[in-house]
Amino acid sequence: RFERAVADAPDARALDEVRVAFLGRSGEVTGVRRSIGTLPPPERPGAGKVINAAVESMEAQLTDALARVERAALERSLGDTIDVTFPGPPARLGALHPVRQVAIDVARYFTRHGFAVVLGPEIETDANNFDALNIPPDHPAREGLDSFYLRPDRLLRTHTSPMQVRSMRRHGPPIAIIVPGKAYRRDAVDARHLYMFHQVEGLMVGHGVHFGHLKGVLVGMCRELFGADADVRFRPSFFPFTEPSAEIDVKCPACHGTGMQDGLQCRTCGGSGWIEIGGSGMVHPNVLRSVGYDPDAVSGWAFGCGLERIAMKRYDIDDIRAFVENVPGFAEGLA
Ligand code: PHE
């Protein structure tokens, strides 16, 4: 009867009732134990032993049964409300901003080739931003319209090129550096312009440095950024601080240089088949002279690339404002 009662008890409370009914102070087994006194004396010890063994076994069965009903109760409660094995929502880890990702990749390429990464101030003298770079006082870039002046002789740098001047003044040749950083221009904001953007400057000066080095290094950089089959083109151009000068173009990834996409003019490159990512050239002798270098003894090249430009091409972003709009998930969506 005891064993059936234990098996039928649905929960801990019912089990306790079984325990009281059999083993409690006025329970059945207790009653049997009290009746030992009515037995002939020689039989009493034997009867006591049998009862003790029975009580021990009953207590063990109650302990097991209690563990069983408790486990069953726990399982029922989990099943009713929470499935603890159900996968949770994926953790949002965030991602690097695409401009920073490009800067990191460019820096990795150049440090591998022995270049140092240096940073410079965003507030510059106009001597460093213009004069030392062979930009004459009447050059349109110097007009207040194009630059943010803080004082008559202090402005937010309009490019990273003043770091060419600072670096060469500080160190003698040879020199091999890149300079990632912000630049500022008073441009109206639209799909292709921000008044603050990022560039990476490159500068290599030494004995016998020539344009072939520049081309090799930049083609290597573009292959690293855009894939081993990236096509690069150098288009003759003009900068006051380089001579000769060249614009750096990369073949448009969207139309592969055809200028057409789905029968329409390619949106990514505007139909030219190429995307301009920056300017470059051989450092002008006047710039070398302005920092105390001898143009007859050393030569050098420099380049400046727009990081937003590179990121737009790489991640297929068609509006430069996306970089500063801070839309949640923007960077994660690109990774
Ligand atoms: N400073 C130039 C610009 O901002 C780019 C450049 C850098 C060109 C170095 C030649 C050499 O457009």
Side-chain angles (χ1 to χ4, degrees):
R1 263 194 301 114
F2 171 81
E3 279 172 4
R4 195 167 342 105
V6 167
D8 289 348
D11 52 27
R13 220 172 102 192
L15 279 172
D16 200 52
E17 276 162 18
V18 174
R19 187 186 60 77
V20 170
F22 286 86
L23 304 172
R25 201 178 305 172
S26 44
E28 269 187 61
V29 179
T30 315
V32 174
R33 201 193 286 282
R34 286 207 188 98
S35 70
I36 285 178
T38 65
L39 293 172
E43 291 176 16
R44 289 177 195 171
K49 260 193 205 141
V50 171
I51 292 169
N52 284 344
V55 167
E56 215 174 283
S57 150
M58 290 160 92
E59 272 167 355
Q61 289 180 57
L62 282 168
T63 306
D64 287 354
L66 187 63
R68 198 186 61 235
V69 296
E70 274 173 354
R71 201 178 324 113
L74 178 66
E75 242 139 59
R76 257 198 319 281
S77 78
L78 291 177
D80 284 352
T81 52
I82 305 166
D83 178 357
V84 294
T85 68
F86 194 80
R92 298 213 22 206
L93 294 178
L96 288 175
H97 191 278
V99 169
R100 178 155 292 254
Q101 186 62 61
V102 170
I104 288 170
D105 293 344
V106 170
R108 189 180 298 132
Y109 169 78
F110 279 99
T111 51
R112 216 165 62 227
H113 288 81
F115 285 67
V117 180
V118 297
L119 303 177
E122 290 168 28
I123 297 173
E124 266 295 3
T125 61
D126 53 7
N128 282 341
N129 196 82
F130 297 126
D131 298 84
L133 288 167
N134 199 35
I135 302 176
D138 57 355
H139 192 280
R142 297 182 77 131
E143 283 170 21
L145 263 180
D146 296 317
S147 321
F148 290 111
Y149 271 88
L150 309 174
R151 293 197 333 220
D153 59 340
R154 289 283 188 287
L155 74 161
L156 297 177
R157 64 180 179 192
T158 61
H159 49 184
T160 43
S161 298
M163 274 306 284
Q164 291 185 33
V165 176
R166 284 179 179 271
S167 305
M168 285 192 282
R169 282 220 183 96
R170 189 158 182 165
H171 308 280
I175 197 164
I177 58 163
I178 61 158
V179 189
K182 291 184 169 72
Y184 300 83
R185 285 181 203 170
R186 277 182 55 168
D187 284 326
V189 172
D190 62 25
R192 291 165 62 82
H193 297 90
L194 294 173
Y195 49 79
M196 184 209 79
F197 56 100
H198 296 78
Q199 290 189 324
V200 60
E201 193 83 8
L203 174 72
M204 183 166 172
V205 186
H207 182 70
V209 172
H210 59 75
F211 205 94
H213 299 141
L214 171 66
K215 290 182 78 173
V217 163
L218 285 176
V219 168
M221 178 188 83
C222 290
R223 298 215 167 124
E224 174 119 344
L225 292 172
F226 301 117
D229 53 354
D231 249 320
V232 187
R233 173 174 91 169
F234 291 83
R235 186 161 37 85
S237 184
F238 173 82
F239 299 101
F241 35 94
T242 49
E243 180 60 34
S245 303
E247 223 83 54
I248 309 153
D249 294 346
V250 177
K251 189 170 276 184
C252 178
C255 66
H256 305 287
T258 62
M260 300 292 284
Q261 223 187 341
D262 306 325
L264 295 167
Q265 190 179 54
C266 177
R267 198 170 46 86
T268 309
C269 62
S272 74
W274 296 86
I275 294 184
E276 178 194 319
I277 61 165
S280 65
M282 298 305 294
V283 180
H284 197 288
N286 287 350
V287 176
L288 294 174
R289 267 183 220 110
S290 78
V291 298
Y293 282 19
D294 177 2
D296 292 325
V298 291
S299 54
W301 49 251
F303 70 85
C305 286
L307 293 180
E308 281 84 356
R309 272 296 178 83
I310 294 174
M312 286 170 83
K313 171 168 154 51
R314 197 176 182 191
Y315 300 110
D316 196 21
I317 297 165
D318 60 7
D319 192 322
I320 197 169
R321 290 170 288 200
F323 292 116
V324 291
E325 276 166 350
N326 220 19
V327 174
F330 165 64
E332 288 93 324
L334 304 169

